[in-house]
Amino acid sequence: MAAAGTDSPLEQFKIEPLIPIHLGKLDLSFTNSSLVMVVALVLITSLLLVGARPRALVPGRLQSVAELAYEFVANLLSDTIGEEGKRYFPIVFTIFMFVLFGNLIGLVPFSFTFTSHIIVTFALAFSVFIGVTILALARHGLHFARFFVPPGVSPALWPLLIPIEIISYLSRPISLSVRLFANMLAGHTLLKVFAGFVFLLGFAGFFPLAFVVALSGLEFLIAFLQAYVFAILTCLYINDALHLH
Amino acid sequence: MAERKPPDSLERLDARLEEARRRQPDGRSRGVETEGMSAFGFAWRVGLELISALVVGVAIGYMLDRWLGTRPWLLILFFILGSAAGLLNVFRMTSGLGGAVGHGKGPGGRITEARTRADDTDEE
């Protein structure tokens, strides 16, 4: 790419160890990615703690934001799972807020977008996948195997259809994680590429600048949308695990 | 004026709200703002579903091959199974079942609707 590497549009995704920690062969360094994750956690926690403190009947600004987030996720759960879904509020709310804040912090100039790394989104999606599978197994025991047997099909076709169903099930965490990662990666790269054009084109750089402004707005929408999609798919997977069909 | 009979106006507001809520198609309040991009988002999602199942199939085939020493055959078999699973994913997605596993009818229209909503809010 670019010679110096400092003006590459992909420079923003570079992981830099801030505090190197090596345990045996494991590299557990505290990186800029970890730093932003900690910042996200601190922001989420303080939003909820500070926001919920007044406990006013007519909420102030911060309390409104906290209540909006709470109600949004609560509605999501009752829409997709129903009454039973309330038990899974903590995990869905945590995932939603973590992804949302990861996306939003990434939009701050000179910060870092940890959701633009496939390993982060895959770890999230894979934990959801494992959790949902354990939930289904705990709920239904060996009946869980019926999940993979299409009803109304003669047993002669089972050897063909069951592997297909299993592959389809295993592809869930991949499509879930790639969706979030690709959206963030593509959006941020596009922003940087067009921002680079602004200086290259001189006076005509006004046009890419206008485009970057519009694109930034769109990125805000995508930041919310992808957190929403991630949360709603988590809800749907939980629902599938609860009500096998 | 408004202060003289607040209960009445509040009640009327309540009735109006109730009516507006009934008029609104269920759950359609969110996720419609991306209507313009939904065709592109839909196409992107079809590709994603196809590829992710294929990747899983190929990975399983490759690892089983290495384990059992049956070099190309299981890879080929699972490549085909993975493509089939990808098509199955797409079929489920387009028939409004989202990422559901299993052929049975969904547990209710509410869920199917939530799924289509998740589908059309997707983009890029």
Side-chain angles (χ1 to χ4, degrees):
Chain A
M1 296 231 115
T6 43
D7 49 357
S8 155
L10 298 178
E11 175 75 13
Q12 56 179 326
F13 303 118
K14 199 173 166 203
I15 295 211
E16 282 148 7
L18 299 178
I19 307 169
I21 304 168
H22 293 276
L23 282 182
K25 281 184 181 168
L26 284 175
D27 185 2
L28 299 177
S29 303
F30 189 83
T31 61
N32 51 352
S33 180
S34 341
L35 178 68
V36 177
M37 285 186 206
V38 171
V39 169
L41 287 185
V42 170
L43 281 180
I44 295 167
T45 315
S46 48
L47 167 71
L48 293 174
L49 286 183
V50 176
R53 200 165 44 194
R55 291 206 176 81
L57 192 59
V58 178
R61 278 178 216 151
L62 214 53
Q63 196 186 341
S64 287
V65 174
E67 284 181 5
L68 261 173
Y70 180 93
E71 271 170 23
F72 183 71
V73 177
N75 284 337
L76 205 64
L77 277 161
S78 60
D79 277 355
T80 48
I81 311 180
E83 273 305 297
E84 222 182 339
K86 294 228 168 86
R87 291 177 58 196
Y88 305 99
F89 179 82
I91 179 69
V92 177
F93 188 72
T94 309
I95 289 174
F96 175 73
M97 291 305 266
F98 190 62
V99 172
L100 178 64
F101 272 70
N103 294 348
L104 287 181
I105 292 174
L107 287 171
V108 177
F110 303 110
S111 75
F112 181 86
T113 327
F114 61 77
T115 44
S116 67
H117 280 267
I118 182 75
I119 191 64
V120 174
T121 60
F122 187 73
L124 278 173
F126 200 67
S127 1
V128 168
F129 175 76
I130 297 273
V132 162
T133 309
I134 290 174
L135 178 67
L137 276 173
R139 262 301 171 90
H140 302 278
L142 285 178
H143 269 285
F144 178 57
R146 279 193 37 225
F147 212 32
F148 301 111
V149 182
V153 176
S154 87
L157 280 174
W158 284 5
L160 182 65
L161 289 177
I162 291 174
I164 293 180
E165 289 288 344
I166 291 176
I167 292 174
S168 167
Y169 185 67
L170 291 178
S171 74
R172 276 173 169 189
I174 295 186
S175 68
L176 184 59
S177 57
V178 169
R179 185 173 302 135
L180 175 59
F181 143 78
N183 268 293
M184 300 323 287
L185 185 79
H188 283 260
T189 311
L190 205 62
L191 269 179
K192 281 281 156 65
V193 167
F194 274 89
F197 287 162
V198 174
F199 289 99
L200 289 177
L201 291 182
F203 182 69
F206 170 76
F207 297 105
L209 184 64
F211 188 75
V212 165
V213 171
L215 201 62
S216 305
L218 184 69
E219 280 302 309
F220 269 98
L221 177 71
I222 290 175
F224 276 98
L225 220 51
Q226 288 305 316
Y228 169 65
V229 167
F230 205 95
I232 200 169
L233 284 172
T234 306
C235 291
L236 292 176
Y237 293 163
I238 291 174
N239 179 60
D240 274 348
L242 290 179
H243 317 108
L244 296 180
H245 32 271
Chain B
M1 228 194 320
E3 206 153 21
R4 216 177 328 131
K5 40 175 194 173
D8 182 71
S9 70
L10 272 181
E11 260 165 37
R12 254 191 299 155
L13 179 68
D14 217 31
R16 281 218 315 270
L17 271 175
E18 202 55 50
E19 201 204 352
R21 263 190 213 127
R22 244 181 292 117
R23 258 202 318 252
Q24 188 178 48
D26 216 20
R28 276 284 148 195
S29 49
R30 296 191 292 262
V32 284
E33 70 264 64
T34 54
E35 208 102 87
M37 293 189 71
S38 74
F40 183 65
F42 191 73
W44 196 81
R45 179 136 189 239
V46 166
L48 179 62
E49 294 287 349
L50 270 175
I51 298 290
S52 57
L54 194 61
V55 165
V56 171
V58 167
I60 292 175
Y62 181 73
M63 284 194 285
L64 281 180
D65 261 350
R66 280 184 52 166
W67 182 44
L68 300 171
T70 49
R71 216 36 159 134
W73 301 112
L74 286 178
L75 179 62
I76 294 170
L77 175 69
F78 276 89
F79 181 87
I80 295 166
L81 288 178
S83 326
L87 286 174
L88 185 66
N89 280 352
V90 172
F91 171 73
R92 288 213 177 103
M93 196 185 98
T94 48
S95 54
L97 283 169
V101 164
H103 283 268
K105 292 176 270 313
R110 203 178 40 185
I111 287 144
T112 329
E113 177 151 78
R115 280 205 172 103
T116 39
R117 216 193 305 155
D119 288 343
D120 64 30
T121 47
D122 204 24
E123 60 179 320
E124 249 196 268

